Every structure is written in structure tokens, then in C-alpha cells.
Amino acid sequence: MALHRLAVNPARWLGLAFTEMVIYGNRSPELAYLNPVNPLKTAEHALWDRDNTLFAIEAVVRPLPGVEAHATFLADDLDFGEFGDNSYNNKWAVQAGLGTAFETPAGAALGYIEYTRTEPFVYTHRFLLDGSCYNSYTHNGFGLGHPIGPNADQVEVGLEVWLPFRLRATVTGRYARRGENFTAEDGSFVNVGGDITNGDQPPFNEPTKEFLRGTVQEGPGATLDVTWEPVNEVGVALNLDYQQWDTDPNRLFVRGSFFVDL
């Protein structure tokens, strides 16, 4: 994976950024991708258009003291001639949120609300090797993009609090929906773009995609992150994540860690 990011702050109330990434495999590292000033997309085209690039445009606006709004548009594939037509050649995601900082009796706090939507087939790639789409945005089976994956959306609210004794806690609640691939009544497999590891597109007689098509799962979820840093840059952290689905098995993830920042 290679990544370039350019961030500018033309004013105290405005921040802008451009990020580009590429995933590639089944060969040695590409020197063209290591050039920090050469755009990754142009390098990918010069290398026979066989890798998986994406780019994101971001903006942060601070209209009032303690208030911050942010928005991101991510394009995995983009065809301006077919934009708005639900074409498989357009794979994109959007995220927007609003946050505010304030004081509580326990300490400083930050609250926010955020919406994320990822279109079908975002983060996927169509090239197969030994039955696996090796250029998808995954590592050891885990997605490198937003946790909800493709063909999904989510509303999330959160509160982060800085507490005494160098404690920091974050609590979030969310409601997520996702459209999963399914097996039709005739026994055929239907790929609706709901699996980050499967980038095979349907036949050309199905020229458009549909958001949240397939077996739709939805439900609430919550996370709790607690970090204790008794010494500067040295601490321990606890992370709990729970997701409830209406028909799929519910998921609980627990992780503890010790960290040293150098």
C-alpha cells in the first residue's frame, strides 16, 4: 500500500485535504509509488491499470468557537460521464459530521454526530489470484476502509471526555445498515457489492447497481474506549465494541493493549 496526503489550512476556521492511496500485490514494491510528488493515479495508468487506487477530498469548517463540521468524499472508481446513473463504474463513499467541545464537571468533552455511506463495491477489486481478489483494501481478511464496509450506511453519535488522573474515555452509539450478497431462488449467487473481498461485477445485462440491495441487515451498536496514561506517552487502553444485527449473529469485540509512543 502507498499513500499520499496533502493538507492545507488557508484560514483558522478552514482546513482542506487531499488523500490518494493504492493497493497492489503479487509483485515487488513499485518505485513509481514511492515517489512522493508523482500522483498515484498517473503512475497506476503507466503500470497498465492493474492496481486499486482511490482518492478522498476532505474539508473541516469551524464556524464558531468550539464548533467543527467536517465532510469527506471518497472515490474508489469514478466515471464523470456516468455519475448519478448508479453505474458500476462509480464506487464512492461520503461522510459528514458536526462536533462541539465543552466543559463538564469531570473535565473537557467533545460530542459529535456523524453519517457515513459507502456505495456497493467500494474498496473492492476485480482481479483474482487463487480465488481471492488480492487488490481489495484488506489485510489478513480485515478491511482497511470504514468498518461498515461496502453497500452500507451508519449514523453515529459519540462523546469523548478527558478525566482526572490522565484518563480519557470515549462512548459512541450507532445504527448501521448493510446489504449482503445472497443466493437467488434458482441457486445462483448474486453479488450486490456487499463483500469487501469480492469485486466480481455482475454481467453486462445488469448495468446498474442499487444501494442496500441484497440481504439487508441492520441494528444498533456501541463502543467504549478507555485510555489511562500514567506517564506521558506510556499507558494502557481498553476497547469494547458491540454490534447487534436483526438476523445475523451479534458481534462483541474486546481488546486490551499497552502502548509506548516514541
Side-chain angles (χ1 to χ4, degrees), residues 108 110 159-163 167-171 224-227:
L110 174 66
L159 178 66
E160 185 174 10
V161 183
W162 285 261
L163 301 168
L167 280 167
R168 184 173 75 249
T170 303
V171 180
L224 172 64
D225 291 290
V226 179
T227 302

Side-chain angles (χ1 to χ4, degrees), residues 35-64:
N35 186 336
V37 296
N38 185 41
L40 296 178
K41 190 63 178 179
T42 58
E44 189 227 0
H45 279 306
L47 295 168
W48 310 301
D49 200 17
R50 52 183 166 160
D51 303 324
N52 191 2
T53 57
L54 59 76
F55 72 87
I57 301 172
E58 309 161 50
V60 175
V61 179
R62 304 173 187 89
L64 298 169

Side-chain angles (χ1 to χ4, degrees), residues 10-29:
R12 295 186 62 182
W13 56 269
L14 177 64
L16 302 172
F18 174 81
T19 303
E20 58 174 357
M21 296 177 62
V22 61
I23 289 282
Y24 65 102
N26 197 32
R27 64 185 192 273
S28 301

Side-chain angles (χ1 to χ4, degrees), residues 147-165:
I148 62 175
N151 200 26
D153 70 349
Q154 171 182 284
V155 176
E156 181 177 276
V157 294
L159 178 66
E160 185 174 10
V161 183
W162 285 261
L163 301 168
F165 307 108

